[in-house]
Structures are given as C-alpha cells and as structure tokens.
Amino acid sequence: QVQLEESGGGLVQAGDSLRLSCAASGLTFNNYDMGWFRQAPGKEREFVGAINWSGGRIKYADSVRGRFTISRDNAKNTVYLQMNSLKPEDTAVYYCAADAARWRTTTTANDYDYWGQGTQVTVSS
C-alpha cells in the first residue's frame, strides 16, 4: 500500500510560482530516490528532476534548470518541486515517483517503482 500523493498544482499566469509537494506513505522514505516527471497532452512523459535519498545528488532537465528546485524533507516523508518563472510550456500533469535504487537519480521513467496520481499545472500567457 505504497502511496505517493501530489498537491500544489493549479492555474497560474506566466511568471508566477508554484510549489508542488509529494507526500509518501507505506515506504521507508529515505531508502528511495525521488523524481518529478511531467506529461502534456499528446506528449511523452518528460523527466523534470530527481533527488537522491539524502538530497546531495540532484539532476534537472535543461528546460527547467535555473527555474525549478527539488528538495526533500525526510522527516516529513515529502519531496518538493519549487517552480519559479513559470512558462506556458510548463503546462502539464506533474507526477512524483520513487526509485528504490537510491543514488541513481535516474531520468528514465521506467526505472521508478512507484508513482503518484499526478497534479495539474496550467500556466496561462
């Protein structure tokens, strides 16, 4: 009964900020690397960022580097995605995912073991 639950999505204007949260339950949180992915209509699921179990190893997609920040609070079993300077092309359903192979910070969706249900982010121009 592992569950990942995203929250924080919504409708914003270009240039605004959002912080997404993903609360995990049913797993030992610091045994997992965590990733964020997004999927726009008609598009493939796209890697956004990943953070290893301790927070010391982070990867970002080129499209979000400098605007988005991944962090985690292991005491709260929660991973965050701070999104600044949002653009219309950031519009997508955002998913968090958990990978038991910690330290890998993989960019490949199929490597992840558990997924949340997604939260919609819509950025208007």
Side-chain angles (χ1 to χ4, degrees):
Q1 58 178 12
V2 172
Q3 184 172 353
L4 306 178
E5 184 173 359
E6 301 98 334
S7 62
L11 173 63
V12 298
Q13 291 186 291
D16 285 352
S17 297
L18 283 173
R19 188 176 76 159
L20 306 184
S21 299
C22 175
S25 61
L27 53 76
T28 302
F29 187 65
N30 62 2
N31 283 350
Y32 288 81
D33 286 3
M34 300 296 296
W36 286 97
F37 292 77
R38 65 188 183 186
Q39 189 165 21
K43 300 289 186 67
E44 296 287 332
R45 188 167 296 187
E46 176 189 22
F47 171 77
V48 176
I51 184 167
N52 84 310
W53 69 276
S54 70
R57 178 183 169 98
I58 294 173
K59 293 180 181 177
Y60 294 106
D62 288 343
S63 59
V64 307
R65 186 175 292 109
R67 299 188 297 121
F68 291 10
T69 302
I70 300 169
S71 62
R72 66 190 293 163
D73 186 341
N74 288 345
K76 296 181 178 180
N77 288 358
T78 300
V79 63
Y80 305 96
L81 184 68
Q82 178 67 45
M83 304 185 295
N84 298 328
S85 301
L86 282 162
K87 304 174 181 179
E89 50 263 46
D90 295 318
T91 295
V93 177
Y94 283 71
Y95 300 90
C96 69
D99 175 22
R102 67 185 197 175
W103 290 107
R104 179 162 60 174
T105 54
T106 178
T107 64
T108 302
N110 285 344
D111 287 338
Y112 286 82
D113 301 293
Y114 302 106
W115 291 84
Q117 83 290 338
T119 186
Q120 177 71 47
V121 172
T122 302
V123 185
S124 63
S125 59

